[in-house]
Amino acid sequence: MIHFEKISQQQFLQEYWQKKPLLIKQALPDFISPITSDELAGLALEEVFESRLITGCAGAAWSLRNGAFTEQDFLNMPARDWTLLVQGVDRYIDEVGDLVSHFDFIPRWRFDDVMISYATTGGGVGPHFDYYDVFLLQGTGKRRWHLSAKNCEMGNYLAGVPLRIMDKFEAEQVFVVEPGDVLYVPPKVAHHGVSLDEDCTTLSFGYRAYGACELFEFMDRPCPDGMKTDYYQDPQWRDIGQPALIPDSAIRQAQILLDIDSVQFAQFVTKLDAMDVQTLQLFEYENQDEDFDVCGRYQLYSVCKIAYLQENNAVRMFVNGEEVEFKGVDKGDLMDFCNKRRVDSLHCSELAKQLFEQNLIFLM
């Protein structure tokens, strides 16, 4: 788990989450990145990964290219001032996916994916802001981050640039990070990272924003004009060791935006996007000939989104936008699986068998 240094985990949740940035020095002491820059470049050669190459820096032209790339593309890159971004690395690299559990004091159903960047000296993507919460874990090398809450407005972007780079940017905080450091950046706080080394990697753990219009679209309703820029705001979280639980407080927050019940909200937050649906189909295809192992240890597919509700002493589980029902399964085992995303068929045979039959798990 994250070492919060001078503050407690609960203090972070109360005072920083979705409010203000925080640098956590040596949040993961002695951290060694599970993926090297060469391995990341190798992933960018594959069609299944969404990857981008960004060249440029302050005072110079910016360029953007989308992958998949070739080895020659990397050989042709300049010595400095460029960045490689690879999205969704946690979907395919278990060692990266396992790192997400360090942040499970935030509900897992709020998590989106892990993007990893590699940058040469001077490399970055320019000052920008978005509506995500993000934990930026430094993997290798050093990076200087500039942060600001000023001028975070939709019209404040450079014209004629293929990236959303802010035109006016005035740094209010500056941090230099090293391997094992984590920088938390809340929504609508601009951040601008510049590599200080020729081998700088950063792992970005993103927690997506729920736009009001997304919720209205999911409910098949038109989004009111006055709400098109509104976003779901988290309640005051408490870490209760159940990252897959959707508490009543979260549902009440969604109901501030529109009339939505607990089941509909659970379906919404676990729904996969189109790219993740394709990834899941690929995983299912690769494991279609496997037989159930009564002594096996299984895990949920990395791309799956899972959550549960506790209602009237019952547990209702949702996976990938659908409620999944079980027969003869202990609710404690069901919650344990949702929270850990793993199940031992030797001890929870009926649960493991039904999950296997629904093609949601695979052998570890």
Side-chain angles (χ1 to χ4, degrees):
M1 295 296 287
I2 296 298
H3 295 260
F4 274 96
E5 197 182 22
K6 297 179 181 179
I7 67 170
S8 68
Q9 179 178 286
Q10 190 58 39
Q11 190 176 353
F12 169 79
L13 294 173
Q14 291 175 343
E15 299 179 16
Y16 291 89
W17 179 254
Q18 295 196 324
K19 297 181 180 71
K20 56 185 179 180
L22 177 67
L23 173 63
I24 312 167
K25 293 295 292 182
Q26 289 304 287
L28 294 177
D30 303 317
F31 177 71
I32 298 176
S33 177
I35 188 167
T36 67
S37 54
D38 285 342
E39 290 169 337
L40 188 68
L43 300 183
L45 307 182
E46 301 182 27
E47 292 285 349
V48 295
F49 287 95
E50 179 184 347
S51 56
R52 292 167 286 169
L53 272 173
I54 297 171
T55 304
C57 61
W62 292 92
S63 69
L64 167 67
R65 295 172 57 195
N66 293 304
F69 299 104
T70 66
E71 292 183 6
Q72 190 61 44
D73 288 325
F74 291 109
L75 293 174
N76 292 339
M77 295 302 292
R80 55 172 294 151
D81 297 338
W82 61 272
T83 296
L84 168 67
L85 304 173
V86 182
Q87 207 80 38
V89 181
D90 57 298
R91 308 297 200 248
Y92 292 89
I93 309 299
D94 288 342
E95 292 82 1
V96 174
D98 290 343
L99 292 173
V100 183
S101 63
H102 289 294
F103 303 93
D104 273 350
F105 47 87
I106 303 299
R108 180 67 74 96
W109 48 268
R110 290 284 284 105
F111 172 73
D112 188 20
D113 76 338
V114 179
M115 179 184 74
I116 302 183
S117 69
Y118 161 75
T120 56
T121 304
V125 300
H128 63 284
F129 71 91
D130 49 44
Y131 292 88
Y132 270 46
D133 292 273
V134 63
F135 293 101
L136 299 163
L137 168 62
Q138 191 64 14
T140 59
K142 295 182 181 180
R143 185 182 290 271
R144 179 180 290 115
W145 285 102
H146 302 76
L147 275 64
S148 178
K150 295 181 178 180
N151 303 309
C152 294
E153 302 165 354
M154 291 305 294
N156 182 26
Y157 290 111
L158 292 172
V161 175
L163 298 160
R164 282 197 158 187
I165 298 176
M166 295 172 68
D167 184 12
K168 297 178 181 178
F169 176 74
E170 181 182 343
E172 296 178 294
Q173 295 175 289
V174 179
F175 301 111
V176 173
V177 296
E178 301 175 302
D181 293 348
V182 168
L183 177 62
Y184 165 67
V185 183
K188 289 199 72 175
V189 170
H191 41 293
H192 175 33
V194 178
S195 169
L196 302 179
D197 289 299
E198 61 181 17
D199 186 0
C200 172
T201 58
T202 305
L203 294 81
S204 174
F205 297 77
Y207 291 75
R208 59 162 300 194
Y210 303 137
C213 287
E214 288 182 85
L215 283 158
F216 275 94
E217 182 181 351
F218 180 80
M219 297 292 289
D220 198 24
R221 301 177 196 169
C223 184
D225 289 339
M227 298 185 67
K228 291 187 183 297
T229 59
D230 289 349
Y231 281 82
Y232 165 88
Q233 182 75 26
D234 281 330
Q236 178 65 68
W237 295 128
R238 290 186 307 108
D239 181 20
I240 57 174
Q242 299 181 65
L245 173 66
I246 302 177
D248 293 340
S249 58
I251 297 161
R252 289 194 296 269
Q253 287 297 106
Q255 290 171 342
I256 294 174
L257 297 173
L258 79 169
D259 181 20
I260 187 171
D261 64 32
S262 58
V263 170
Q264 292 164 334
F265 186 68
Q267 292 170 330
F268 172 78
V269 300
T270 58
K271 189 175 185 295
L272 298 183
D273 62 27
M275 190 166 183
D276 280 344
V277 169
Q278 293 179 3
T279 302
L280 179 59
Q281 290 172 345
L282 175 63
F283 289 162
E284 292 173 340
Y285 176 78
E286 291 175 345
N287 291 281
Q288 64 180 336
D289 296 326
E290 295 294 326
D291 294 323
F292 181 67
D293 185 348
V294 295
C295 298
R297 297 179 67 236
Y298 286 88
Q299 68 183 48
L300 185 72
Y301 284 117
S302 57
V303 73
C304 288
K305 293 184 180 294
I306 187 169
Y308 65 92
L309 300 167
Q310 286 183 292
E311 297 180 346
N312 301 320
N313 203 34
V315 174
R316 301 179 69 173
M317 176 175 134
F318 297 80
V319 183
N320 303 337
E322 302 287 343
E323 182 170 5
V324 182
E325 298 183 358
F326 299 89
K327 296 181 179 179
V329 171
D330 179 80
K331 69 177 183 179
D333 291 338
L334 187 58
M335 289 189 295
D336 194 56
F337 168 71
C338 291
N339 290 315
K340 295 180 179 178
R341 301 170 67 93
R342 296 179 177 181
V343 61
D344 189 330
S345 60
L346 188 63
H347 298 103
C348 303
S349 58
E350 192 57 40
L351 173 59
K353 183 177 180 181
Q354 292 183 46
L355 288 166
F356 183 84
E357 290 171 348
Q358 296 183 63
N359 211 10
L360 294 172
I361 56 176
F362 68 101
L363 274 174
M364 295 175 61

